[in-house]
Amino acid sequence: MPETIGFLKPRQAVLDRRREIIADLADLLPEGCLISEERGLKPFETDAFLAYRRMPLAVALPETTEQVAAVLKYCSRYGVPVVPRGAGTSLSGGAIPQEDAVVIGLSKMSRILDIDLFNRTATVQAGVTNLNISEAVGADGFFYAPDPSSQLACTIGGNIGMNSGGAHCLKYGVTTNNLLGVRMVLFDGTVIELGGKALDAPGYDLLGLVCGSEGQLGIVTEATVRLIAKPEGARPVLFGFASSEAAGSCVADIIGSGIIPVAIEFMDKPAIEICEAFAHAGYPLDVEALLIVEVEGSEPEMDAMLEGIIEIARRHGVATIKESQSALEAALIWKGRKSAFGATGRVADYICMDGTVPLSQLSHVLRRTGEIVAGYGLRVANVFHAGDGNMHPLILYNINDSEDAARAEAAGNDILKLCVDAGGCLTGEHGVGIEKRDLMLHQYSRADLDQQMAARAAFDPDWIMNPSKVFPLEGRPAA
Ligand SMILES: Cc1cc2nc3c(=O)[nH]c(=O)nc-3n(C[C@H](O)[C@H](O)[C@H](O)COP(=O)(O)OP(=O)(O)OC[C@H]3O[C@@H](n4cnc5c(N)ncnc54)[C@H](O)[C@@H]3O)c2cc1C
């Protein structure tokens, strides 16, 4: 498809030294930790933002913090751009490389270093998957709360890069609320430690700055995260509605009433049909919109919370209420929701938007989203974290039809602008990446962006770290 988003022009001096760079990097890494053959580089050309791809110069797969530092020191010395990579599941193109870049993949750094149940923390290498942490402490009655639907594959380093969220973040917060410390390598190979096991740290909150910085401030090699005690019980309940607007205003009223369930997820009819066909989760097929509301706690606590939620849902004309009756039913309900993107991929190509809106705007933005996408002659399926107002319209299109693809991209941009205009923002959890980079001036003033770039420059004065992402190419300081 024709590309509408530009990448930075590759640095010719770097391309001219390709062979030498590869030979030098091979000397810095153990055998088997550098990929430079075209066939081996192919899987690193793109991430889950599949419409764009670039072949990197090489891929380094270090095994230790010291090796990450050695590669970064070398790259900064010779002005070689670097793209950090976890599992490459970014939906905004955050891990897509460029032709003059060395990808530094953290997949070989996948050890759990310390589990401290007394202090309720886990320290892990950056390549450990999100789900691995909960699996490692599950038998002891703990879990790691942020749960992106990609949690089987995505890494804690990538989660920090994007400040990732998930269905259960409504109650427990996103990555930044569950991250206590990192070990990180700066652009020139310097290793720094931010935060730690104890709460809060004196001085500036650099940990907060690093979380969500999309691999531009350094490479995280280790992270210390908060562990949470599992609740006594948890119950997902399905609420079916005759319209998306009714479901949307029900969500706003639940949160407005002060009740905070652990999760409120939304699906419209196309999403219900796609997910039910894949997971056979027992979703009602005769409604236009579905909420999955999960409450947790003791049985009386869950009953009391549900009573309040059901009363609000009735005021919004709920058509179906179905409580899960067993652990198996509950697991199926979540399987359907968490497989939504993969299940959608079975029926069509899609791009996934990630705008966030104030809950009072949810119904309006849902209706306008449908109108915008229909205006481009396309279809949309909505499945998202409604309690957070974090919307994920999946715009369905044909990736092999360039006009279709251009229409999908244009519709996506209109939707994200709609979210900003409704008082929300361009991204709730997937990051800016390359996808939303050129919309940043719709969200921020030039002065706002200049200040963010100044903070970035304090960490990476030569702009070698993931340079094509986050900030519009125009208005950057001269390289
Ligand atoms: C099917 C599917 C479902 C998804 N569901 C969710 C969801 O529910 N919630 C959600 O938030 N996201 C979701 N995502 C998006 C994606 O999984 C997250 O953004 C995830 O955190 C990316 O992790 P990763 O390991 O794949 O990182 P990558 O995609 O490899 O990288 C992501 C970003 O982090 C940077 N980075 C990676 N590792 C490091 C490191 N060690 N140090 C510094 N920077 C680093 C990269 O440069 C890049 O900018 C989903 C994606 C898919 C494909």
Side-chain angles (χ1 to χ4, degrees):
M1 70 172 252
E3 293 189 349
T4 54
I5 305 171
F7 281 63
L8 282 173
K9 199 163 170 280
R11 300 179 184 196
Q12 194 56 44
V14 172
L15 296 180
D16 291 344
R17 288 191 62 246
R18 183 170 188 274
R19 276 167 174 244
E20 204 181 327
I21 293 169
I22 289 167
D24 290 345
L25 289 176
D27 285 344
L28 297 175
L29 292 163
E31 210 177 318
C33 291
L34 184 74
I35 302 172
S36 57
E37 310 280 310
E38 190 173 329
R39 206 160 44 124
L41 294 177
K42 200 107 183 93
F44 296 90
E45 265 186 334
T46 188
D47 53 20
F49 187 54
L50 290 168
Y52 288 79
R53 55 191 64 226
R54 291 285 185 281
M55 189 71 90
L57 188 145
V59 174
L61 299 172
E63 293 173 337
T64 63
T65 298
E66 292 69 29
Q67 289 167 17
V68 173
V71 173
L72 275 173
K73 189 174 174 187
Y74 177 87
C75 289
S76 81
R77 183 163 169 207
Y78 292 104
V80 181
V82 163
V83 177
R85 186 176 178 106
T89 64
S90 168
L91 288 162
S92 60
I96 295 180
Q98 49 192 68
E99 297 93 331
D100 56 352
V102 172
V103 170
I104 301 188
L106 280 295
S107 57
K108 288 185 189 264
M109 295 186 64
S110 56
R111 275 187 306 124
I112 293 182
L113 302 172
D114 175 51
I115 290 176
D116 179 348
L117 294 181
F118 188 79
N119 285 308
R120 302 193 171 190
T121 65
T123 300
V124 303
Q125 288 187 314
V128 165
T129 65
N130 173 293
L131 190 60
N132 269 170
I133 304 178
S134 290
E135 283 175 346
V137 296
D140 293 305
F142 290 88
F143 69 109
Y144 174 61
D147 60 337
S149 302
S150 53
Q151 65 188 145
L152 191 64
C154 67
T155 66
I156 198 72
N159 292 177
I160 294 169
M162 292 312 197
N163 190 15
S164 298
H168 292 82
C169 292
L170 175 59
K171 177 171 175 186
Y172 294 111
V174 295
T175 303
T176 194
N177 308 110
N178 291 275
L179 180 68
L180 297 171
V182 294
R183 170 177 253 218
M184 185 171 98
V185 187
L186 300 179
F187 79 106
D188 62 354
T190 307
V191 179
I192 61 167
E193 310 270 348
L194 301 173
K197 281 187 185 180
L199 265 189
D200 213 351
Y204 292 174
D205 179 13
L206 294 185
L207 187 63
L209 185 62
V210 163
C211 194
S213 61
E214 307 203 15
Q216 298 198 316
L217 304 188
I219 298 193
V220 172
T221 58
E222 291 175 18
T224 298
V225 298
R226 189 192 310 282
L227 298 176
I228 300 210
K230 281 188 191 172
E232 218 170 295
R235 222 187 289 161
V237 182
L238 303 177
F239 292 87
F241 292 85
S243 75
S244 290
E245 285 79 5
S249 38
C250 179
V251 173
D253 274 3
I254 293 172
I255 301 294
S257 75
I259 302 173
I260 304 291
V262 68
I264 307 183
E265 297 289 300
F266 174 103
M267 288 185 193
D268 65 5
K269 196 173 184 67
I272 299 168
E273 287 171 351
I274 288 169
C275 294
E276 180 60 18
F278 176 77
H280 308 294
Y283 298 154
L285 292 169
D286 57 350
V287 295
E288 289 298 317
L290 180 66
L291 297 179
I292 304 172
V293 181
E294 182 162 279
V295 291
E296 64 176 26
S298 64
E299 290 296 323
E301 277 170 339
M302 291 193 286
D303 286 345
M305 211 181 272
L306 267 178
E307 200 180 309
I309 293 168
I310 288 171
E311 196 189 310
I312 294 168
R314 291 222 163 98
R315 286 209 298 269
H316 291 274
V318 65
T320 317
I321 301 177
K322 189 177 162 199
E323 280 189 41
S324 67
Q325 300 298 329
S326 66
L328 179 67
E329 267 187 37
L332 274 176
I333 286 174
W334 282 116
K335 181 181 173 198
R337 167 59 187 93
K338 293 206 170 190
S339 313
F341 294 178
T344 304
R346 297 195 319 162
V347 300
D349 303 311
Y350 67 86
I351 46 172
C352 172
M353 298 294 108
D354 176 40
T356 292
V357 296
L359 290 179
S360 57
Q361 297 293 316
L362 208 52
S363 292
H364 159 68
V365 173
L366 267 170
R367 187 174 36 79
R368 279 292 300 134
T369 295
E371 290 166 2
I372 288 171
V373 177
Y376 282 96
L378 297 170
R379 289 178 303 139
V380 65
N382 283 289
V383 47
F384 62 91
H385 312 309
D388 292 322
N390 182 197
M391 305 184 65
H392 293 326
L394 303 175
I395 304 172
L396 311 185
Y397 75 110
N398 176 359
I399 201 168
N400 297 314
D401 176 338
S402 57
E403 283 180 19
D404 217 32
R407 279 197 298 270
E409 238 178 65
N413 286 348
D414 288 357
I415 292 171
L416 291 179
K417 286 179 180 170
L418 167 71
C419 291
V420 175
D421 296 343
C425 65
L426 294 174
T427 170
E429 56 180 15
H430 296 168
V432 179
I434 194 138
E435 180 206 15
K436 301 166 206 111
R437 184 196 66 200
D438 298 331
L439 293 176
M440 285 287 267
L441 274 166
H442 197 80
Q443 177 94 61
Y444 292 113
S445 71
R446 188 77 254 173
D448 294 339
L449 275 188
D450 285 349
Q451 196 58 33
Q452 290 197 32
M453 286 196 290
R456 191 213 136 111
F459 281 78
D460 176 24
D462 300 329
W463 284 69
I464 65 160
M465 303 293 301
N466 215 1
S468 282
K469 321 289 165 60
V470 184
F471 299 104
L473 299 185
E474 269 173 40
R476 291 182 175 202

